[in-house]
Amino acid sequence: MSVNQQAHAGPPYGQPQPGYQGFQQPAYGGQSLPGAPQSQYGAYNGPVPGYQQPVPPPGSLRAPPTSGAPPPASGASHPSGHVAYSQFEHGDVQNGIPASAAPMQRPPVSQPFLPGSAPTPVSQISTFQQYGPPPGSVQQLRNHMAGMTIGSTAASAPPPAGLGYASVPPVSGSVSATGSGLYTPYSASQGAPVPSVSQALPVAQPPFPGQTIPAQRLPAQVPGFTPPPPSTGVGPSSYPPTTGAPRPPAMPGPPLPGQTVAGPPSSQPNHVSSPPPPSTMAGLHPGPPMGGLHGPPPPTHPPQPGYQMQQNGSFGQMRGPQPNYGGAYPGAPNYGSPPGPPPPPKRLDPDSIPSPIQVIEDDRNNRGSEPFVTGVRGQVPPLVTTNFLVKDQGNASPRYIRCTSYNIPCTSDMAKQSQVPLAAVIKPLATLPPEETLPYLVDHGESGPVRCNRCKAYMCPFMQFIEGGRRFQCCFCSCVTEVPPHYFQHLDHTGKRVDFYDRPELSLGSYEFLATVDYCKNNKFPSPPAFIFMIDVSYNAVKSGLVRLICEELKSLLDYLPREGNMEESAIRVGFVTYNKVLHFYNVKSSLAQPQMMVVSDVADMFVPLLDGFLVNVNESRTVIASLLDQIPEMFADTRETETVFAPVIQAGLEALKAAECAGKLFIFHTSLPIAEAPGKLKNRDDRKLINTDKEKTLFQPQTSFYNNLAKDCVAQGCCVDLFLFPNQYLDVATLGVVPYQTGGSIYKYAYFQLETDQYRFLNDLRRDVQKEVGFDAVMRVRTSTGIRATDFFGAFYMSNTTDVEMAGLDCDKTITVEFKHDDKLSEDSGALLQCALLYTSCAGQRRLRIHNLSLNCCTQLADLYRNCETDTLINYLAKYAYRGVLSSPVKTVRDALINQCAQILACYRKNCASPSSAGQLILPECMKLLPVYLNCVLKSDVLQPGPEVTTDDRAYIRQLVTSMDVAETNVFFYPRLLPLTKADVDSDSLPAAIRNSEERLSKGDIYLLENGLNIFVWVGVNVQQSLIQNLFGVSSFSQISNALSTLPVLENPFSKKVRSVVDMLQGQRSRYMKLIIVKQEDKLEMLFKHFLVEDKSLSGGASYVDFLCHMHKEIRQLLS
């Protein structure tokens, strides 16, 4: 779309369209701002409760009015209650331009504002703001104000006006006078602010209405400008801890000719760095950008991608005229005139702090188009939120392994100093997109894979062949091993084998070996695995319709059991058990006319009453199985039995697999606390009074060790347990989950299950769970090159020794997180290597080894470590570490340890890597600038800070779930995705651009979708147009929308189709089927929805993002002092 072209009428607000990189987006209402630079984070500056902004003293900074009234002639101030209305629907715009809460700064321009005068053209790049005639009407003013954003040059896809996006690296190495107007220095007439705790980051403002902006784009890099070194700075971070402070009145109107307008003169070209300010300042400066820019820093504190710059140390004492600076504005006193009254403190503007949306958007724009080629050591992959292709050229794809850092310290002292955990999140059986190749299967015949004699590492691309190819030196332990005769091949002139490209294990990062009989239990090849379906037929399960639903679904689902690539039918055998206080086994042998039932009532000594006919081939026994599934709901239709057992059910499945000499999976459908007399009987121990006490940890621990022992037996047999829970009250997930968790299984929970609202979600989960790829009887070992070793493991598995991760089953969604520690020095030359080897039985009963290799860089400079970290992976690790911590420590201790570790990580960066600057600055490494916001989300999560509505079972469930999540899942779980549906382009396949998770981003006239991997909320504002409600819900008014909908109605109109396709697209990206919840604004469900707006303060006491950033800054300063 051409820069000056009128925007099309699709998305009403200025939403960035994919593919228009670097172009100005249409502003609100479709007016295009040709060539104007974008604000880093949109124009919003609504109030955050708790920050007081006093009325400005006379003679202080003037700003355009923010209320809906026309600009006052004499600068009279408006009453504080006025709200800026948008031209859309209704008032109270919570998104975009806010109510008049924060003082608007004048953008720096070099000419005084003359009402009614025509704008003068600008000759230099540095200034974008021009003042034109004031708008003729209130409506015009609203229209203008609603659409304006400001900021530095657009180097990447620009932000939607007013919706906090698009972080853009500023062009200047010094503070730029690009008309951002964000950080306006105090002029001498205002006096210098006292560095104090109440000083906060200035607020981003839209430019004055009615301005014209010359159609020119700044060069992405100005000639002669040396980009600064890596780091990201954020403004001052000390704020008064007040809460509930009153909203300040709006600032007075525009200055009259001759009045002071603060800000550096625009005659200064923005690529000349000014000298460092003489004073230390309480305000924060941004630090220099890291992304792709290297070179010596300019003398002042350089700007940051993603943060608005302060003008020349705006918060320090003002100094006299600067070298390289022209004079002050015409008619303004020069810098150095007598001091006036102090300026008002300002609060930290949410738009000036790092935005997750912005970082995600930038990464998509910068890295989404090129394939990620894995040939180079220590490359940081694109973010998990970016859609990219992987080309394996010797290192495992990031879909299989992601690391917290791709450049690790050479010494343990350096690692301790930085406190950055060295960890890898490994997903050995990850599903690949269709356009990527599955790992090749290599068969070396009876001799099996070639391995190092000493450390037993498998042949991989990093092994070094020597002596003409007759021997190889191990890249892990340096031992030299003879090449077996059948494997010998000559070397070329570079020392590579000539069959290098023909052998996956020499040229690829991931591949599989066919295992020989030596890798099998008892030295015999395994039988194909079995699936046993175990259905609770107690009163609750039957009455809710659950039993009938499961039986109906299984009839068709059994045709979709997993099978090897080209097999006609699945090799998996199936069996059926029903239970309440006793167990019923079914003989479904193909030769029978009707299934036979056998009851085992002695649950204390569990055995399987039949061998032949219990586990059968689906095709052979199809009619008998169908007959059984028809009969079960009828047999138990009149049951009065409410009590259930649980441990004997697992024991029965385990015994059946033992008797059949195979591995397998139990699918258990269970409804209540097992209180019937039997092994593993539980009591109700739910006690909310333990929350925030030292005994809170007992709520996460199993109430008996019985299940730990049972889990150990299951792992030994390769018996994996998947548990589907349908509780109407407490059923002790912490205890019932032990066996699924330690066997590598999954837990699904449907509280207060109702057939009409929950069946769709349950059936989708069941189908996916039965069909997904699983490896059985799995053992995983991670080998490392000399210098580091794997010391700690997180995930759903069992360990009987310190090195082997054992799983009865491992599916394509599960991850194992491994932490590494130094046991020696590493060298920068050789780097560090990881090899993950997974031995497992495929669903056809084939024993295989899957190998993933990854090479990392090593560094002697901390800056290199901080430049190559991956925050999403770091948060994944920290969450798992904390969630394990709650088993043994009070929750408060765990929370404090998390905050302390992150403060140490950031303080170490500040002390050792950032350019020197005042303590009042918060400086974050470029690739860790989202660490505070994401960490705050972990701290506010239900496990670490539960609200009153979160049950003990919910917390135990979430704790186990997160422990085996991959990086993409924890990313959206802790910082949910919020999409404005009303801005979706109905003609495109793409999703609408996401917005930040805060209530102030929502508008009453819009519909939003929020997803976190478990739920999808559709939030409907009270002022949504009736036509949209009709199109989406098929009802004529807001009040008629039903909260009980579990799916959106299928309506034949473009908006309905688009929203349903968005929902389907999101469902397809997640490993579980998300529950759809319709939330009407001001409805009781809105409290639940707001819990997921993670940038806001939470009801359970969690800090807002702004407050937490200030808290982190305080912690960092304490560590540094």
Side-chain angles (χ1 to χ4, degrees), residues 429 665 722 744-746 769 772-775 809-814:
L429 298 179
K665 188 182 265 198
D722 280 358
S746 306
D769 196 57
K772 67 185 171 188
E773 185 189 353
V774 187
L810 172 69
D811 64 50
C812 55
D813 298 322
K814 295 280 187 306

Side-chain angles (χ1 to χ4, degrees), residues 377-397:
R377 181 174 85 188
Q379 281 185 105
V380 182
L383 298 181
V384 283
T385 42
T386 297
N387 198 0
F388 61 98
L389 266 181
V390 180
K391 289 195 170 158
D392 184 343
Q393 290 192 359
N395 281 292
S397 159

Side-chain angles (χ1 to χ4, degrees), residues 193-493:
V194 186
S196 74
V197 195
S198 62
Q199 187 119 39
L201 208 97
V203 180
Q205 296 301 348
F208 194 74
Q211 71 191 47
T212 47
I213 296 166
Q216 58 184 34
R217 282 169 63 218
L218 262 143
Q221 196 163 316
V222 183
F225 158 58
T226 346
S231 83
T232 294
V234 190
S237 88
S238 2
Y239 310 87
T242 50
T243 45
R247 286 189 168 201
M251 289 296 256
L256 300 173
Q259 227 168 349
T260 306
V261 178
S266 55
S267 56
Q268 148 91 356
N270 70 3
H271 54 274
V272 179
S273 42
S274 57
S279 59
T280 50
M281 322 189 300
L284 342 103
H285 286 272
M290 201 177 222
L293 298 178
H294 303 289
T300 115
H301 313 299
Q304 219 45 51
Y307 299 79
Q308 297 297 2
M309 278 308 307
Q310 285 160 324
Q311 312 281 9
N312 302 315
S314 56
F315 301 116
Q317 277 72 27
M318 273 343 246
R319 35 197 199 276
Q322 295 300 306
N324 296 331
Y325 261 70
Y329 294 94
N334 210 336
Y335 282 129
S337 41
K346 302 188 190 66
R347 75 171 177 82
L348 194 57
D349 170 37
D351 282 325
S352 60
I353 57 182
S355 156
I357 302 302
Q358 183 49 51
V359 171
I360 288 168
E361 199 57 37
D362 285 352
D363 194 76
R364 278 188 188 141
N365 293 332
N366 298 334
R367 306 197 63 182
S369 51
E370 292 295 308
F372 178 69
V373 180
T374 71
V376 182
R377 181 174 85 188
Q379 281 185 105
V380 182
L383 298 181
V384 283
T385 42
T386 297
N387 198 0
F388 61 98
L389 266 181
V390 180
K391 289 195 170 158
D392 184 343
Q393 290 192 359
N395 281 292
S397 159
R399 303 192 204 287
Y400 295 124
I401 306 184
R402 275 189 178 263
C403 294
T404 52
S405 179
Y406 287 79
N407 200 334
I408 61 181
C410 282
T411 64
S412 59
D413 291 348
M414 201 170 142
K416 283 192 189 94
Q417 186 185 357
S418 74
Q419 287 287 314
V420 176
L422 305 175
V425 179
I426 305 174
K427 194 175 181 183
L429 298 179
T431 310
L432 299 184
E435 49 282 18
E436 290 178 22
T437 320
L438 290 171
Y440 289 99
L441 182 59
V442 178
D443 184 359
H444 282 314
E446 288 186 14
S447 57
V450 178
R451 302 174 70 175
C452 166
N453 271 345
R454 184 198 290 158
C455 71
K456 301 290 183 245
Y458 293 87
M459 180 53 66
C460 72
F462 312 120
M463 296 290 190
Q464 194 65 47
F465 286 88
I466 54 175
E467 295 176 22
R470 286 189 293 280
R471 303 167 87 186
F472 68 90
Q473 183 168 26
C474 178
C475 51
F476 295 96
C477 71
S478 303
C479 173
V480 174
T481 301
E482 293 283 334
V483 173
H486 72 89
Y487 198 69
F488 173 78
Q489 187 53 271
H490 295 286
L491 308 184
D492 66 11
H493 64 286

Side-chain angles (χ1 to χ4, degrees), residues 565-576:
N566 50 7
M567 288 173 62
E568 284 292 303
E569 60 176 56
S570 174
I572 293 172
R573 291 169 297 163
V574 297
F576 302 89

